[in-house]
Amino acid sequence: MNLVKYLMKPLAHLRGVLLIMLICSVVSKAQRVGLGASPKPVAPLANMGIDPANPKEYTIAEVTVSGTQFLDPNSMVSISGLKPGDKIRVPGPSVTGAIKKMMDFGTLDDVEILATKVDGEKIWLNIHIKERPRLYSVTFSGIRKGERETLNDKVKLIKGRVITPTVIKNTQLIIKKYYMDKGYYNTKVKVLQIPDSSRGQATLNFTVTKNKKVKIEEINIEGNEEISDRTLKRKLKGTKEKMFGRLFNPSKYIPKKFDEDKEKLIAYYRKNGYRDATIDFDSVTNNGETISINMKIDEGKKYYYRDISWTGNYLYTSKYLSERLGIKKGDVYNPEELDKKINGIPGADVSSIYMDDGYLYFRIDPVEKAVQGDSIDMELRMFEGKQATINRILLNGNTKTSDRVVLRELFTLPGQKFSKTEIINTQRQLSQMGYFDPEKIQIQPIPNQADGTVDIEYTVEEKPSDQIELSGGWGGYIGFVGTLGLVFNNFSIKNIPNRETWKPLPSGDGQKLSVRFQANGKQYQTYSLGFSEPWLGGKKPINFGVSLQRTVYRQTDYNSLYGYGTGGSSGGIKYRGGYFNNGVTVSLGRRLREPDRNLVLTHSLSYNRYRLDSINIFGGNYNTGVSNNIAFNTTISRNTLSDLQFPRSGSNISLSATLTPPYSAFRKTDYSDNAERYRWVEYHKYMFDASYYATITGKLVLSARTHMGYLGRYGDKAGFSPFGRFVLGGSGLAGQGAFSLADQDIIGLRGYQDQLVGPIVNNRPADGGGIVYNKYVMELRYPVSLNPQATIFILGFAEGGNNWGSYQKFNPFDLKRSAGVGARIFMPAFGLLGIDWGYGFDPLDGQSKRSGAQFHFTIGQQIR
């Protein structure tokens, strides 16, 4: 018998030594029985006629495989390269090469090639293999259950996979990296392989020792002379020194973030003209529970632009392009700013001059033409190309909204010249529709250079847009109030017969249907039904809307409610008076083209009939009678917000005027009788609302808003109407004890009690509210989640406002100030929900103490 095991290197030993090794190998391994096969009897070497000291050439008669459990024997023979009919030398390189090939396969733990029979010049070989175990399961020790589930998702080891040293090592690295990214720099991972020889499988158990989070004790920076340590450390956004009170930027050390911060540091240098700045070296010293970071920076020179020239421009002069670029001789060299002014400011960069005029293939290559001393000459090499027209519009992903509803909102139409700015405007328009996830809207121009056209592919992802409001609350003396509201933002009347579009109601045409009911029984009830069509007739953006509403409010006789007085509670609940309102509103709006395409002009006509039955809601002498309100409203608005739920840029400005007929000019009536005076409501009212959003840094957004309102009268005869007044304070919500009656406008002011800012009589708004108000708001917003299923952001605010009952007392600088924090969560099914904590710094009218701390809950998007 001849056995060659792991003959991986050339034989360099003496023949006697080789003979001893072969004999020992035969004695120790020739008698092993392979799993899954029955090896042939093994004969002594002498009986086979093999002399290990004198290699001889044989012809392979047969190759068998033993020891297999999962692997195919024929595949193993094929991998070895040994096949019947081949001539091999024994001992020789063929056997050594076969063993190497099989071990390189990666699934084997051991390989032996045995000679089971020799007959003359023929030899019979058996390949005995030992397979690596297959993975049965992965377990983790030393960590919590939630962490084990997370690591299972991270390592992604599939049951049945061959366990190799590489698999084990890579898994250890993944686990360690996961914890290092959380600040556990000293994490140790040990692995224990638990075999199950009966099945050829094994369990891998990883024991994780996280140790404590490693804090950054200090950051030492050397070599910086022009920029201070403090400034550079601020640029290390994810790498901060340990400091008392540091909450939002913890000082844990994360290698990945440190690498990113080093790149940002060099980018900051280059942004300030230090073109050659580099980090010569950096080191991390592990002190156990803390580390120290040392960096040495070579700042280099500060460079300036000397000359900027243009080549390849034929359509526009170099002078005009330089004026548009806005970079002059002597300006600090800043490649980031240069690229931004060439390609990064939609509508205001150099590329927009060309690309808004169809030059899709336009490009600019900035080249440093010369560097002398601290001055750099730039040459902007241009390729203007040809104009491209839009050929086709491709739309993907709108599984619910019909194609025509999306296509009618696009500003890029077939036959038009390609425009970069119009593509960006279209993306904003699709976001404002509210049907698609703004983070997933993708626009891909597909150029066709052969015919000078371009196809534009829009990819959207539908998000739930319908809302349900189901809530209950305690409304003070009103008691429990329940609310049920349904809003279908993508409704379709046309698809009512088509059951396939019912999700759960017919949808896809962009119409809006809303139904709302709020009540606590017989005492308070309000109903509303609204419908709007944004494209009346389907050809132009003309919005048609109609809404119906009814409100019933009965004032309880507390003697009957609590059983006091005559009759006690046995007589049932009695009411001292009531307020009843029925109204209808019809509106018609149109998106304008001139002077600004973002302008919308809306007109509406409403009729409300109010009936007061022995109820004093105005704090005056009018408590019984019927009032009629016919009002015409016109509103002009401009909306350029990037998103409805969490805008990061843009503005929303609205100016409205509401007018009733001047009845007092032609009515001949006794105005001393309030019932006759207010039979026909008359006033003129103007409201201004403006919101502005801008990204400060990263995801941090600044929101600045201002709101003003003015209620006027036509003459002294009728005086100021008690209807249509302003009520200020608190959350700004109507309902649940803070009802919006008599056409009032409810405006929030956090940090103060609901509806109590302004003139107050008996702890309620005097005369039904103020006739002039203003309000200013400043907010910093930061998103926690932008998932369309649950958009969450936190905010800090400072605001001020006031409400006056006469123009003589009006003072726009006399504000009730407050500041605080809050959070908002938007869920498609329930709309926008919010909670705020505000602190009012000023006392309310008639009080001497500050308003102090107040909590406020909000439901829905607050306009004011």
Side-chain angles (χ1 to χ4, degrees):
M1 174 182 177
N2 179 30
L3 171 65
V4 181
K5 182 198 174 195
Y6 296 128
L7 193 57
M8 305 298 294
K9 300 180 180 179
L11 298 177
H13 300 286
L14 296 174
R15 291 183 178 181
V17 175
L18 176 62
L19 180 61
I20 293 172
M21 290 175 63
L22 290 173
I23 293 174
C24 292
S25 179
V26 169
V27 172
S28 62
K29 295 187 177 181
Q31 301 302 318
R32 291 171 58 187
V33 178
L35 296 175
S38 298
K40 297 179 180 180
V42 179
L45 287 173
N47 294 343
M48 291 190 179
I50 296 176
D51 183 2
N54 297 300
K56 182 179 178 181
E57 191 173 78
Y58 294 92
T59 300
I60 299 176
E62 183 184 28
V63 181
T64 58
V65 178
S66 62
T68 58
Q69 186 169 6
F70 298 101
L71 300 175
D72 177 37
N74 293 329
S75 298
M76 295 294 98
V77 173
S78 177
I79 292 170
S80 72
L82 302 175
K83 57 182 181 293
D86 288 352
K87 293 183 180 296
I88 63 171
R89 182 172 293 275
V90 180
S94 297
V95 175
T96 305
I99 293 175
K100 185 177 185 304
K101 289 177 185 178
M102 299 187 74
M103 291 301 294
D104 289 344
F105 185 58
T107 62
L108 304 178
D109 196 43
D110 192 13
V111 178
E112 293 176 316
I113 298 180
L114 303 169
T116 58
K117 178 181 177 182
V118 175
D119 186 0
E121 295 184 352
K122 293 184 178 182
I123 189 168
W124 282 255
L125 299 177
N126 175 259
I127 303 174
H128 182 75
I129 65 175
K130 179 181 179 182
E131 297 183 20
R132 293 188 189 275
R134 304 271 172 157
L135 181 66
Y136 177 70
S137 66
V138 178
T139 59
F140 300 96
S141 302
I143 54 177
R144 298 189 301 269
K145 180 180 178 182
E147 294 176 276
R148 293 197 293 268
E149 293 174 352
T150 301
L151 287 180
N152 267 322
D153 294 335
K154 291 283 183 183
V155 300
K156 295 179 180 178
L157 291 178
I158 303 172
K159 184 177 180 179
R161 182 175 181 176
V162 176
I163 301 175
T164 65
T166 302
V167 169
I168 294 173
K169 187 67 176 177
N170 288 342
T171 303
Q172 286 177 302
L173 291 175
I174 289 172
I175 296 171
K176 188 168 184 177
K177 181 179 181 300
Y178 171 76
Y179 282 103
M180 288 178 70
D181 287 347
K182 291 184 173 296
Y184 296 96
Y185 185 65
N186 294 325
T187 297
K188 300 185 182 300
V189 182
K190 295 183 179 179
V191 61
L192 175 64
Q193 186 171 317
I194 306 171
D196 183 352
S197 57
S198 62
R199 293 184 293 186
Q201 295 179 326
T203 296
L204 291 180
N205 175 258
F206 294 93
T207 300
V208 181
T209 305
K210 295 188 296 186
N211 295 311
K212 293 183 178 180
K213 286 186 177 181
V214 174
K215 302 287 185 178
I216 301 172
E217 183 69 30
E218 59 180 352
I219 300 175
N220 300 312
I221 303 176
E222 300 177 5
N224 56 310
E225 297 179 358
E226 300 298 327
I227 301 179
S228 66
D229 287 5
R230 183 177 180 181
T231 299
L232 294 179
K233 289 178 182 180
R234 282 205 305 264
K235 299 303 171 183
L236 301 174
K237 301 294 185 182
T239 309
K240 298 293 184 182
E241 289 177 321
K242 186 169 64 172
M243 181 185 299
F244 177 77
R246 190 183 293 281
L247 299 176
F248 298 105
N249 292 307
S251 59
K252 59 186 179 183
Y253 174 68
I254 300 174
K256 180 181 177 181
K257 287 190 176 181
F258 181 49
D259 291 338
E260 295 173 353
D261 285 339
K262 288 188 291 184
E263 294 178 4
K264 293 176 182 177
L265 197 65
I266 295 303
Y268 177 74
Y269 262 105
R270 291 175 180 171
K271 183 178 179 180
N272 284 274
Y274 296 92
R275 167 181 173 270
D276 303 327
T278 58
I279 297 177
D280 281 353
F281 75 85
D282 64 270
S283 63
V284 177
T285 304
N286 194 339
N287 306 318
E289 295 184 3
T290 64
I291 66 162
S292 298
I293 296 177
N294 299 294
M295 301 172 62
K296 184 175 182 181
I297 296 174
D298 182 1
E299 293 179 327
K301 293 181 181 179
K302 186 172 185 177
Y303 290 88
Y304 302 86
Y305 291 109
R306 184 174 64 180
D307 181 57
I308 298 177
S309 59
W310 304 80
T311 62
N313 55 305
Y314 301 100
L315 295 173
Y316 301 96
T317 65
S318 297
K319 181 180 179 181
Y320 175 74
L321 293 175
S322 294
E323 290 175 352
R324 185 64 174 259
L325 184 67
I327 296 178
K328 300 177 182 179
K329 180 179 180 179
D331 287 351
V332 174
Y333 175 77
N334 185 348
E336 180 182 328
E337 184 69 14
L338 177 65
D339 181 69
K340 183 178 179 181
K341 291 189 174 184
I342 292 175
N343 297 305
I345 311 173
D349 56 6
V350 175
S351 68
S352 294
I353 301 174
Y354 287 89
M355 300 190 78
D356 287 351
D357 197 27
Y359 291 92
L360 172 63
Y361 310 110
F362 160 86
R363 70 174 184 271
I364 298 180
D365 296 323
V367 177
E368 294 181 3
K369 189 177 180 180
V371 180
Q372 294 182 357
D374 63 353
S375 300
I376 296 178
D377 294 339
M378 297 295 301
E379 183 176 78
L380 302 180
R381 300 173 182 175
M382 303 178 59
F383 173 75
E384 294 177 334
K386 298 179 180 180
Q387 286 179 310
T389 56
I390 299 173
N391 180 35
R392 294 184 302 163
I393 299 295
L394 308 176
L395 185 60
N396 302 317
N398 55 315
T399 56
K400 179 179 179 181
T401 307
S402 63
D403 286 355
R404 65 180 181 84
V405 171
V406 182
L407 294 175
R408 71 192 184 189
E409 299 292 338
L410 305 184
F411 297 133
T412 54
L413 302 176
Q416 293 181 343
K417 287 186 293 187
F418 175 83
S419 172
K420 171 185 173 182
T421 299
E422 294 292 32
I423 284 182
I424 294 172
N425 290 338
T426 297
Q427 185 174 23
R428 186 184 68 244
Q429 188 70 14
L430 293 177
S431 298
Q432 289 181 353
M433 292 177 70
Y435 308 148
F436 310 117
D437 181 357
E439 303 293 323
K440 302 291 181 64
I441 296 175
Q442 299 179 12
I443 304 177
Q444 179 64 44
I446 306 173
N448 306 311
Q449 296 194 35
D451 58 3
T453 63
V454 58
D455 298 335
I456 301 180
E457 182 179 36
Y458 292 92
T459 302
V460 297
E461 183 176 306
E462 299 266 8
K463 70 173 185 179
S465 58
D466 298 332
Q467 299 174 13
I468 180 172
E469 179 186 353
L470 183 61
S471 62
W474 188 262
Y477 57 86
I478 297 300
F480 180 82
V481 177
T483 303
L484 174 62
L486 300 172
V487 180
F488 301 95
N489 285 304
N490 201 355
F491 188 70
S492 173
I493 290 180
K494 184 184 70 175
N495 285 330
I496 291 177
N498 185 3
R499 296 290 300 180
E500 295 180 357
T501 65
W502 286 53
K503 300 177 181 180
L505 290 182
S507 59
D509 280 348
Q511 299 164 348
K512 181 177 180 179
L513 177 67
S514 60
V515 181
R516 194 170 188 269
F517 172 69
Q518 189 177 51
N520 77 329
K522 191 176 180 180
Q523 185 178 5
Y524 173 72
Q525 301 170 8
T526 180
Y527 316 84
S528 64
L529 173 66
F531 172 80
S532 65
E533 164 58 71
W535 283 67
L536 184 63
K539 295 183 179 180
K540 294 183 178 180
I542 299 176
N543 188 304
F544 170 77
V546 60
S547 63
L548 305 172
Q549 64 178 14
R550 173 173 171 77
T551 301
V552 175
Y553 169 50
R554 297 180 177 90
Q555 199 169 51
T556 305
D557 183 344
Y558 293 102
N559 290 330
S560 66
L561 182 64
Y562 296 106
Y564 301 137
T566 306
S569 61
S570 60
I573 298 176
K574 297 180 180 180
Y575 301 98
R576 296 185 297 174
Y579 165 87
F580 307 89
N581 173 32
N582 296 307
V584 58
T585 301
V586 179
S587 63
L588 201 64
R590 178 166 184 168
R591 190 185 305 160
L592 304 180
R593 294 184 178 180
E594 299 293 342
D596 189 327
R597 187 172 54 193
N598 295 308
L599 288 173
V600 176
L601 182 63
T602 304
H603 305 294
S604 66
L605 183 65
S606 63
Y607 170 72
N608 283 276
R609 185 177 186 273
Y610 313 103
R611 181 165 66 88
L612 281 70
D613 182 9
S614 301
I615 185 171
N616 186 0
I617 62 175
F618 301 124
N621 297 321
Y622 180 44
N623 53 29
T624 300
V626 175
S627 298
N628 301 276
N629 186 353
I630 299 175
F632 174 77
N633 174 275
T634 183
T635 301
I636 186 166
S637 61
R638 184 178 186 272
N639 187 349
T640 60
L641 297 182
S642 60
D643 182 20
L644 290 177
Q645 305 308 331
F646 187 78
R648 302 181 185 183
S649 62
S651 61
N652 189 2
I653 302 173
S654 173
L655 176 63
S656 68
T658 304
L659 309 171
T660 68
Y663 300 108
S664 60
F666 49 82
R667 282 184 69 202
K668 295 181 180 180
T669 185
D670 182 8
Y671 279 90
S672 62
D673 183 358
N674 285 332
E676 284 298 321
R677 172 185 291 189
Y678 301 129
R679 181 177 297 278
W680 293 97
V681 176
E682 64 173 73
Y683 58 78
H684 51 96
K685 181 165 67 172
Y686 310 92
M687 303 192 73
F688 175 76
D689 302 285
S691 302
Y692 173 78
Y693 296 85
T695 299
I696 299 178
T697 179
K699 297 180 180 180
L700 186 64
V701 174
L702 170 68
S703 169
R705 306 194 300 275
T706 183
H707 309 278
M708 302 177 184
Y710 165 90
L711 181 72
R713 60 184 179 180
Y714 291 110
D716 295 335
K717 188 186 295 185
F720 287 103
S721 170
F723 296 87
R725 296 204 174 201
F726 308 114
V727 178
L728 185 67
S731 62
L733 287 179
Q736 300 188 10
F739 306 109
S740 175
L741 305 177
D743 199 25
Q744 294 169 331
D745 283 292
I746 309 294
I747 298 109
L749 186 64
R750 292 166 288 189
Y752 297 90
Q753 296 182 45
D754 286 347
Q755 305 190 1
L756 293 185
V757 175
I760 301 298
V761 175
N762 296 327
N763 205 35
R764 59 192 299 178
D767 300 322
I771 61 174
V772 58
Y773 90 95
N774 61 0
K775 174 185 171 183
Y776 310 100
V777 183
M778 188 79 73
E779 284 185 353
L780 287 176
R781 299 179 169 192
Y782 188 84
V784 177
S785 169
L786 293 176
N787 188 325
Q789 303 296 329
T791 302
I792 306 171
F793 62 90
I794 57 177
L795 58 90
F797 68 86
E799 63 186 28
N802 209 342
N803 192 17
W804 295 269
S806 68
Y807 290 107
Q808 290 77 16
K809 296 182 179 180
F810 171 65
N811 180 358
F813 303 104
D814 177 19
L815 303 176
K816 305 299 183 184
R817 301 159 300 166
S818 66
V821 294
R824 299 289 184 272
I825 177 171
F826 174 82
M827 294 183 292
F830 299 100
L832 189 66
L833 307 175
I835 181 172
D836 294 293
W837 177 89
Y839 187 89
F841 297 105
D842 299 294
L844 293 171
D845 289 358
Q847 298 183 7
S848 58
K849 294 183 179 180
R850 292 181 174 184
S851 176
Q854 304 278 340
F855 276 100
H856 306 286
F857 297 91
T858 59
I859 302 174
Q861 190 78 44
Q862 300 301 104
I863 300 175
R864 301 178 180 91

